[in-house]
Amino acid sequence: MAGIGKSNFGTHYSSMNGDGPAIDPNVAVLISEFLQHKLGQCGYQWTSPLISYMGASNSLPPKVGAALRSLSEEFATQFKEQFVEMCEKLNINAENMKATLDGVANELFCEGIKWARIVALFVFGSELAIHCKNRNWLDLINIIAYSLATYISEKLLPWINDHGGWEGLVHFSDGGGMDNGPDRDKWPSLRNIICLGVSALGAITLGAVLTKS
């Protein structure tokens, strides 16, 4: 399987985005720490190239990372099996990994952005990273981290900044998995997460995602 290691991460990092990706440093560190935590639970110590290559530093309070980990565990209790099944059906490699993640994310947010769906994207990314670790496709984990960081920075960060910044995730977590404001959501509304197919690039779409109860 074609892969990309830390030694040539800089080449991949630049070539995919011309003059370089617009990755927010806080996003880079949040993703790196989250994936390190999830992979560490599986006994694998991963070093994020987002931090080593970018030199990113985290200005977010620790409670943000803690809230993300707590919410991801709560989400996974209901939907882990569906995400694991999706990972099993993917035909992924270094060339199509970013397209795969972008396709999943675009479908996930096709009906709008909500904190619950942002948590779902982190969980899917971590399950995909664990899937790659279990098959010794370790270089692909770097691309997962990069792809998540790029997507969140470019597509989701404006919404996040308009909804309290990452502190909004802490508020969502403190609400017991729901937001009592206009973007109120519950885990039970995250249902019917179905793999509808795999394209030639390995990008899957999700059907009937995150519909209201």
Side-chain angles (χ1 to χ4, degrees):
M1 168 171 291
I4 176 169
K6 285 179 62 179
S7 60
N8 62 340
F9 181 77
T11 301
H12 183 76
Y13 178 95
S14 299
S15 64
M16 292 179 66
N17 288 272
D19 294 333
I23 295 178
D24 178 81
N26 285 333
V27 171
V29 175
L30 191 62
I31 289 170
S32 297
E33 292 181 347
F34 181 74
L35 291 180
Q36 284 170 342
H37 171 72
K38 290 296 186 180
L39 290 166
Q41 289 180 323
C42 301
Y44 178 60
Q45 300 303 310
W46 172 71
T47 300
S48 172
L50 291 175
I51 295 177
S52 59
Y53 184 80
M54 290 181 60
S57 59
N58 191 0
S59 62
L60 296 174
K63 62 183 178 180
V64 174
L68 178 59
R69 291 190 297 272
S70 176
L71 287 166
S72 71
E73 294 297 331
E74 183 181 341
F75 180 92
T77 59
Q78 295 191 45
F79 300 103
K80 180 181 176 69
E81 290 185 6
Q82 288 93 330
F83 277 8
V84 169
E85 183 178 353
M86 289 181 201
C87 293
E88 294 286 346
K89 293 181 178 180
L90 288 174
N91 177 24
I92 52 175
N93 54 51
E95 285 70 36
N96 67 25
M97 177 63 82
K98 189 173 188 301
T100 298
L101 272 168
D102 286 354
V104 170
N106 286 338
E107 190 68 22
L108 188 61
F109 296 105
C110 69
E111 295 181 359
I113 302 171
K114 293 182 182 294
W115 285 117
R117 302 175 194 189
I118 292 174
V119 173
L121 180 61
F122 274 90
V123 173
F124 177 76
S126 67
E127 291 299 331
L128 193 56
I130 292 169
H131 173 80
C132 292
K133 189 276 296 183
N134 290 340
R135 284 151 184 78
N136 205 34
W137 302 340
L138 303 181
D139 288 344
L140 294 187
I141 299 173
N142 294 346
I143 305 180
I144 293 170
Y146 170 85
S147 301
L148 286 173
T150 301
Y151 191 94
I152 293 172
S153 295
E154 294 181 350
K155 302 291 183 66
L156 305 183
L157 196 57
W159 183 93
I160 291 169
N161 289 336
D162 287 341
H163 290 77
W166 289 105
E167 293 278 351
L169 183 67
V170 178
H171 173 71
F172 179 72
S173 179
D174 289 344
M178 59 182 289
D179 185 346
N180 291 322
D183 298 300
R184 182 177 179 272
D185 205 351
K186 297 180 180 180
W187 298 136
S189 69
L190 295 163
R191 68 177 185 267
N192 298 331
I193 302 178
I194 304 168
C195 177
L196 295 182
V198 182
S199 74
L201 290 176
I204 67 171
T205 57
L206 312 179
V209 181
L210 300 169
T211 55
K212 288 291 183 180
S213 298

